[in-house]
Amino acid sequence: MTTAAAWAKKNLFGSPANTVLTLLGLALLWQVVPPFVGWALIHASWGAGTPESCRQAGGACWTLLAERHRLMLFGLYPYEQHWRPFLAMLLFVALLAISSQRRCWRPWLGALWAAAVVLIGVLMWGGVLGLATVETAQWGGLPLTLVIAVLAIVIAFPMSIVLALGRRSQLPAIKAVSVGYIELVRGLPLVSVLFMASVMFPLFLPEGITIDKALRALVGMTLFTAAYLAEAVRGGLQAIPKGQFEAADALGLGYWQTMRLIILPQALRLVIPPIVNQFITCFKDTSLVTIVGLYDLLAATKASLNDPAWRPFFVEGYLAAALVYFCFCFFMSRYSQWLERELAKGSR
Amino acid sequence: MKLTHAIGAVAALALMGAAPPARAGATMDAVKAKGFVQCGVNLGLYGFSAPDDKGNWTGLDVDVCRAIAAALFADANKVKYTPLSAQQRLPALQAGEVDLLARNTTWTLTRDTANGLDFTTPNYFDGQGFMVARKIGVKSVKELNGATVCVLPGTTTEQNLADYFRAAKMTYKPVVIEKNEELNSAFFSGRCDALTSDASQLAGVRAGQAANPDDYVILPELISKEPLTPAVRQGDSQWTDLVRWSQYVMVYAEEKGVTSKTVTVAQKSPDPDLQRLLGVTVGNGKALGIDEKWAFNIIMQVGNYGESFERNVGKESRLKLDRGLNALYTNGGLMYAMPPR
Amino acid sequence: MRVTGLWGSARFRGVLYQALVIGGVVALGSWLLRNTLTNLEIRGIATGFGFLGREAGFDISESLIAFTPADTYSRALVVGLLNTLLVSALGIVLATVLGTVVGVVRLSGNWLLGRLATLYVESIRNVPLLLQLFVWYGLVTALPGARQALNPLPGVFLSNRGLVIPALDWSHGWPLLDSPHLAGFNFTGGLTLSPEFAALLAGLTFYTAAFIAEIVRAGILSVPKGQVEAALSLGLSRGQILRLVVLPQALRVIVPPLTSQYLNICKNSPLAIAIGYPDLVAVSNTAINQTGQAVEGVALVMGVFLCISLGLSALMNWYNKRVALVTK
């Protein structure tokens, strides 16, 4: 008891100013928490039902989720086939979970990724093994968000290494091209890049070749992410002490050998946390593909609120979507912080 | 490992995504080769083009797509739909992503010339109207001075609105949102006093998206001409002809009183016009470069214009629109088919 | 033998690589350009910036300069640009203030407020901005209509038409109080903050402030404790310590990441198109749709955003140099 009182005195009521702040905080909580609990829990309507049953309950309408969660999660994907994106989603999560374990950072992880991505592709597209073909135009919801975010990072990664090496290059022309690309893209809003990808790509390609909407959005996201990722990789390269380069020179190693054997293995280890952070950004940014007409998680949530009867309960729908985004992003950011400490420990 | 698999994924995506060439001048060959019509439609406008619960597209515009498929492949279902926003529709057609744009698009001089499109023939004569909440008690557009008006950006609607208020020396505040659903929900939440769009579209929004349709009225005045017309890329007259004549055939069938139910019987009719229409007397199909049964298939599988109208937007639908301007010319409307001979 | 010798020369390889890269970029560029020109020609799409001088024919809901549908496309784009700059500038100021307060509160030593601030930062940072904008816009438009407007203070009205406050009217040469009142459909007089603007500003501010709070916190934590103790032992007051010792050193750490957050506000402002605020991208999208000239429209927007980014970076770099100098 005394320890609790001492703790409270130290942390809550240490000085007059501190006491005022604490009281302000308590007042805020008093204003917000009881009405929220009443709305979200006590008066809420749970389980299956109709918009009418929600209106009668008067509180939060979690019935919306019970009734419409499949549209929110899977978008326009054919209803009877929903098990396919569901499995694909589980595969993605498992893949991310395995990749987060340091003891799994072995060459076979790459093979696992390749196999998993092929499997996910087969699940989503179908067309083989008796699965009905589902075109990308019908993909939607969380699986689409995951597909775009993960593929954009995976494809942007090698591009970013090339760009970062280019930016650090002694050769002026190569440096200029890399700097030009990175700064150009980083100066642009993602909306513009996506809009360009959706409207102008068809004009850039030879007459008669068209690529589908989802692929265009993916290309836009990838080009955008590569520029930011390149800056993260450059940070890693800059952190390598000059002595390492000089030692490699003294050993008579060429540029490519130096990079491949000495510099990149060290630099890339350093940049894993920023890469995870970039993945978080990329994951959140996929919500913008709704602007070019794809049904990602956010757009599918909006679609499920399009019915006039459910529209008044938009807060519940958005809260649910926000919670999904939050779970992914929060755990990834915690992971990135943990990893940063772990890796720092190793190098000491 | 990661790199190679990434490249593989991109290549695979590109292969899956690459459509066969849809070069101007050879649209019909390309469509025949791939075996379906790629049709650009509205993202979801009840009565014109909207997917039902099972994901099947229906509507007046969708019926144009289906008619082309019936004419080409004797199967009205050989259509793939690309839902397009108002912003996306023209670039999508220009870029060859769709073979045909049947998406309540107004035929204007600029679009016909500078935008590289060709229009076939209107499938719905519309005009721009205003919808307001019944409770604000407005009876005429003239009373809307100072009102806040919800409007889709980049449409002829937006320009007509500006022109009309300018001419009438009235002021208004526009609220422009690119997505139909967002715009409509802004209107229904009371953000705007009025929602303006093509009158048919207002009826669709009211029937499909209002919590209680009776709470809203569509004002009597129409402030513009909106001939909604399917569009194709400029400079491929063979394809333009096919779309245009497929539309005419639906109107002509109604003029002649042939419906999907009577078309089989009509084949035996001694009327030379009908014999030519239904391919009993050959020639029309060859001229268009398709099967002689093309018109028969359209009427059989899609129906005549009147059937399509009533089913999608007329008496049999929730919209309950009158034929009005879209009645046959013999009934005081503007629907007049050129003679298919 | 000679070839090997040449290949062995780093200089030669450098020139070769550069020639290859330049050649590749030029080839790619000209290929794209040729495709684009061919495609535009085949599709009969007009090219050039001639449309900028034509009449726009559409109205814009809010504008800092006078605008009517009879004005040109170029003026419409300027209106959009000014709107972008307005919301970005206000967003930068508000996010900096809020972010600093939250960052300091997290370090204040008050357990309760520290936890609340952490809750705010974590929940805002991990949810997409676009989703937050939809929520803000939904909340703002769920307010009562103009005729049932909330009237919390005299002359201040809050409704789904926005926030209306009294303003000073200088048109007569001296200030007159211009109080808003309901006339017809809407309020006239006073200053109006439209729902679209309010939602966008709130979204940008609260989202970015969460990031700025972390930057401020890291900046203050980067100042060694010994510095504060030394200052205390010199008899400096708390305010003096903050102003003379902590801030100058913390700013050195804070300014570079702060710059990129400011750039983010500008680059996130085009999300306006989702909720109907007429920013540069929204106006140019309308222009593109009316004229069909997507290439010119997108190029213009990209050019303008590059200028904004470079300008803001230059400004912040200049400020950063000043901060860095002070600490020397």
Side-chain angles (χ1 to χ4, degrees), chain C residues 66-87:
Chain C
F67 182 81
T68 70
D71 285 319
T72 58
Y73 278 112
S74 51
R75 192 168 174 96
L77 289 169
V78 170
V79 169
L81 174 61
L82 289 176
N83 282 340
T84 295
L85 292 177
L86 175 70
V87 79

Side-chain angles (χ1 to χ4, degrees), chain B residues 94 113-116, chain C residues 40 43-48 51 54 291-294 296:
Chain B
Q94 290 160 350
T113 54
N115 290 358
Chain C
L40 289 176
R43 290 160 198 172
I45 302 171
T47 50
F51 73 92
R54 291 214 306 268
T291 61
Q293 293 184 260
E296 289 85 351

